[in-house]
Short mmCIF file of all heavy atoms in Angstrom, two decimals:
data_model
loop_
_atom_site.label_atom_id
_atom_site.label_comp_id
_atom_site.label_asym_id
_atom_site.label_seq_id
_atom_site.Cartn_x
_atom_site.Cartn_y
_atom_site.Cartn_z
N TYR B 199 43.66 7.63 -14.10
CA TYR B 199 44.27 8.21 -12.89
C TYR B 199 45.69 7.73 -12.63
O TYR B 199 46.14 7.69 -11.50
CB TYR B 199 43.39 7.91 -11.65
CG TYR B 199 42.08 8.66 -11.64
CD1 TYR B 199 40.88 7.99 -11.77
CD2 TYR B 199 42.08 10.04 -11.49
CE1 TYR B 199 39.68 8.69 -11.77
CE2 TYR B 199 40.88 10.74 -11.48
CZ TYR B 199 39.69 10.05 -11.62
OH TYR B 199 38.52 10.74 -11.60
N ARG B 200 46.42 7.35 -13.71
CA ARG B 200 47.77 6.86 -13.50
C ARG B 200 48.66 7.93 -12.84
O ARG B 200 49.31 7.70 -11.85
CB ARG B 200 48.36 6.42 -14.83
CG ARG B 200 49.73 5.78 -14.71
CD ARG B 200 50.20 5.32 -16.05
NE ARG B 200 49.78 6.30 -17.07
CZ ARG B 200 50.18 6.28 -18.32
NH1 ARG B 200 50.97 5.32 -18.73
NH2 ARG B 200 49.79 7.18 -19.18
N GLU B 201 48.61 9.12 -13.45
CA GLU B 201 49.48 10.18 -12.92
C GLU B 201 49.07 10.63 -11.53
O GLU B 201 49.92 10.84 -10.67
CB GLU B 201 49.46 11.39 -13.86
CG GLU B 201 50.32 11.18 -15.09
CD GLU B 201 49.69 11.75 -16.34
OE1 GLU B 201 49.05 12.83 -16.23
OE2 GLU B 201 49.81 11.12 -17.41
N GLU B 202 47.78 10.73 -11.30
CA GLU B 202 47.30 11.18 -9.99
C GLU B 202 47.75 10.21 -8.90
O GLU B 202 48.18 10.62 -7.82
CB GLU B 202 45.77 11.30 -9.97
CG GLU B 202 45.23 12.45 -10.79
CD GLU B 202 45.04 12.12 -12.27
OE1 GLU B 202 45.58 11.08 -12.72
OE2 GLU B 202 44.37 12.89 -12.96
N LEU B 203 47.63 8.90 -9.21
CA LEU B 203 48.02 7.91 -8.21
C LEU B 203 49.52 7.95 -7.95
O LEU B 203 49.97 7.89 -6.81
CB LEU B 203 47.59 6.51 -8.67
CG LEU B 203 46.11 6.20 -8.51
CD1 LEU B 203 45.73 4.92 -9.24
CD2 LEU B 203 45.75 6.07 -7.02
N ALA B 204 50.29 8.07 -9.05
CA ALA B 204 51.75 8.12 -8.89
C ALA B 204 52.14 9.33 -8.04
O ALA B 204 53.03 9.25 -7.18
CB ALA B 204 52.41 8.18 -10.26
N GLU B 205 51.46 10.44 -8.27
CA GLU B 205 51.79 11.66 -7.53
C GLU B 205 51.46 11.52 -6.04
O GLU B 205 52.26 11.93 -5.18
CB GLU B 205 51.00 12.81 -8.14
CG GLU B 205 51.59 14.17 -7.85
CD GLU B 205 50.68 15.27 -8.32
OE1 GLU B 205 50.19 15.18 -9.47
OE2 GLU B 205 50.42 16.19 -7.52
N LEU B 206 50.31 10.88 -5.76
CA LEU B 206 49.95 10.67 -4.34
C LEU B 206 51.01 9.79 -3.67
O LEU B 206 51.43 10.05 -2.54
CB LEU B 206 48.58 10.00 -4.24
CG LEU B 206 47.38 10.90 -4.49
CD1 LEU B 206 46.10 10.07 -4.54
CD2 LEU B 206 47.26 11.96 -3.39
N ALA B 207 51.45 8.72 -4.38
CA ALA B 207 52.44 7.81 -3.80
C ALA B 207 53.76 8.54 -3.58
O ALA B 207 54.45 8.31 -2.58
CB ALA B 207 52.64 6.61 -4.72
N ALA B 208 54.11 9.44 -4.52
CA ALA B 208 55.37 10.17 -4.39
C ALA B 208 55.33 11.15 -3.23
O ALA B 208 56.32 11.38 -2.55
CB ALA B 208 55.68 10.90 -5.70
N ARG B 209 54.15 11.76 -3.01
CA ARG B 209 54.06 12.81 -1.99
C ARG B 209 53.83 12.28 -0.59
O ARG B 209 54.10 12.98 0.39
CB ARG B 209 52.93 13.78 -2.36
CG ARG B 209 53.31 14.76 -3.46
CD ARG B 209 52.79 16.15 -3.14
NE ARG B 209 51.39 16.13 -2.74
CZ ARG B 209 50.40 16.49 -3.56
NH1 ARG B 209 50.66 16.88 -4.78
NH2 ARG B 209 49.17 16.44 -3.14
N HIS B 210 53.25 11.07 -0.49
CA HIS B 210 52.90 10.55 0.84
C HIS B 210 53.64 9.24 1.06
O HIS B 210 53.44 8.26 0.35
CB HIS B 210 51.39 10.33 0.93
CG HIS B 210 50.61 11.60 0.74
ND1 HIS B 210 50.31 12.44 1.77
CD2 HIS B 210 50.12 12.17 -0.38
CE1 HIS B 210 49.63 13.49 1.31
NE2 HIS B 210 49.51 13.35 0.00
N ARG B 211 54.52 9.23 2.06
CA ARG B 211 55.38 8.06 2.27
C ARG B 211 54.58 6.85 2.71
O ARG B 211 55.02 5.71 2.54
CB ARG B 211 56.44 8.40 3.33
CG ARG B 211 57.37 9.51 2.83
CD ARG B 211 58.31 9.95 3.91
NE ARG B 211 59.14 8.82 4.38
CZ ARG B 211 60.01 8.93 5.36
NH1 ARG B 211 60.17 10.08 5.98
NH2 ARG B 211 60.73 7.89 5.73
N ASN B 212 53.41 7.05 3.31
CA ASN B 212 52.62 5.91 3.78
C ASN B 212 51.78 5.29 2.66
O ASN B 212 51.13 4.28 2.86
CB ASN B 212 51.69 6.36 4.93
CG ASN B 212 50.76 7.47 4.51
OD1 ASN B 212 51.15 8.37 3.74
ND2 ASN B 212 49.52 7.42 4.98
N VAL B 213 51.77 5.90 1.48
CA VAL B 213 50.91 5.41 0.39
C VAL B 213 51.74 4.62 -0.62
O VAL B 213 52.78 5.08 -1.08
CB VAL B 213 50.22 6.60 -0.33
CG1 VAL B 213 49.45 6.11 -1.56
CG2 VAL B 213 49.30 7.33 0.64
N ARG B 214 51.25 3.44 -0.95
CA ARG B 214 51.91 2.60 -1.94
C ARG B 214 50.89 2.27 -3.01
O ARG B 214 49.78 1.85 -2.70
CB ARG B 214 52.37 1.33 -1.23
CG ARG B 214 53.47 0.60 -1.96
CD ARG B 214 53.96 -0.52 -1.06
NE ARG B 214 54.33 -1.63 -1.92
CZ ARG B 214 54.09 -2.88 -1.64
NH1 ARG B 214 53.45 -3.21 -0.53
NH2 ARG B 214 54.49 -3.83 -2.47
N VAL B 215 51.24 2.49 -4.26
CA VAL B 215 50.30 2.24 -5.35
C VAL B 215 50.86 1.14 -6.25
O VAL B 215 52.01 1.20 -6.67
CB VAL B 215 50.05 3.52 -6.19
CG1 VAL B 215 49.23 3.20 -7.43
CG2 VAL B 215 49.37 4.57 -5.33
N LEU B 216 50.03 0.14 -6.53
CA LEU B 216 50.44 -0.94 -7.43
C LEU B 216 49.42 -1.06 -8.54
O LEU B 216 48.21 -1.19 -8.28
CB LEU B 216 50.52 -2.26 -6.66
CG LEU B 216 51.62 -2.36 -5.61
CD1 LEU B 216 51.35 -3.52 -4.68
CD2 LEU B 216 52.97 -2.49 -6.28
N ASN B 217 49.88 -1.01 -9.77
CA ASN B 217 48.98 -1.21 -10.90
C ASN B 217 49.14 -2.62 -11.41
O ASN B 217 50.26 -3.06 -11.70
CB ASN B 217 49.32 -0.24 -12.04
CG ASN B 217 48.97 1.18 -11.64
OD1 ASN B 217 47.87 1.43 -11.14
ND2 ASN B 217 49.91 2.10 -11.83
N ALA B 218 48.04 -3.33 -11.52
CA ALA B 218 48.08 -4.68 -12.06
C ALA B 218 47.39 -4.67 -13.42
O ALA B 218 46.28 -4.15 -13.54
CB ALA B 218 47.38 -5.64 -11.11
N PHE B 219 48.07 -5.21 -14.44
CA PHE B 219 47.47 -5.29 -15.77
C PHE B 219 47.04 -6.72 -16.02
O PHE B 219 47.82 -7.65 -15.86
CB PHE B 219 48.47 -4.85 -16.85
CG PHE B 219 48.83 -3.39 -16.75
CD1 PHE B 219 50.02 -2.92 -17.29
CD2 PHE B 219 47.98 -2.49 -16.11
CE1 PHE B 219 50.35 -1.57 -17.20
CE2 PHE B 219 48.30 -1.14 -16.03
CZ PHE B 219 49.50 -0.68 -16.56
N THR B 220 45.81 -6.90 -16.42
CA THR B 220 45.30 -8.26 -16.60
C THR B 220 45.62 -8.80 -17.98
O THR B 220 45.60 -9.99 -18.20
CB THR B 220 43.78 -8.32 -16.37
OG1 THR B 220 43.17 -7.36 -17.24
CG2 THR B 220 43.44 -8.00 -14.94
N ARG B 221 45.87 -7.89 -18.95
CA ARG B 221 46.06 -8.40 -20.31
C ARG B 221 47.40 -8.04 -20.94
O ARG B 221 47.61 -8.31 -22.11
CB ARG B 221 44.94 -7.87 -21.21
CG ARG B 221 43.60 -8.36 -20.77
CD ARG B 221 42.57 -8.28 -21.85
NE ARG B 221 41.26 -8.59 -21.30
CZ ARG B 221 40.12 -8.31 -21.89
NH1 ARG B 221 40.13 -7.71 -23.07
NH2 ARG B 221 38.98 -8.62 -21.34
N GLU B 222 48.25 -7.38 -20.21
CA GLU B 222 49.57 -7.09 -20.79
C GLU B 222 50.60 -6.92 -19.69
O GLU B 222 50.26 -6.75 -18.51
CB GLU B 222 49.49 -5.84 -21.68
CG GLU B 222 49.14 -4.58 -20.90
CD GLU B 222 49.00 -3.35 -21.82
OE1 GLU B 222 48.28 -3.45 -22.83
OE2 GLU B 222 49.60 -2.31 -21.50
N ASP B 223 51.87 -6.95 -20.11
CA ASP B 223 52.96 -6.73 -19.16
C ASP B 223 53.15 -5.24 -18.97
O ASP B 223 52.52 -4.43 -19.65
CB ASP B 223 54.26 -7.34 -19.71
CG ASP B 223 54.19 -8.86 -19.67
OD1 ASP B 223 53.60 -9.40 -18.71
OD2 ASP B 223 54.70 -9.49 -20.62
N GLY B 224 54.04 -4.89 -18.06
CA GLY B 224 54.38 -3.48 -17.90
C GLY B 224 53.80 -2.88 -16.65
O GLY B 224 54.13 -1.76 -16.28
N GLY B 225 52.92 -3.61 -15.96
CA GLY B 225 52.39 -3.10 -14.70
C GLY B 225 53.26 -3.57 -13.55
O GLY B 225 54.26 -4.29 -13.75
#
Side-chain angles (χ1 to χ4, degrees):
Chain B
Y199 290 113
R200 185 177 38 171
E201 283 141 37
E202 289 86 346
L203 283 168
E205 201 188 313
L206 284 172
R209 282 222 312 258
H210 299 272
R211 296 174 59 183
N212 59 322
V213 174
R214 200 173 146 219
V215 172
L216 292 164
N217 291 312
F219 294 157
T220 55
R221 297 200 188 164
E222 64 183 50
D223 289 324

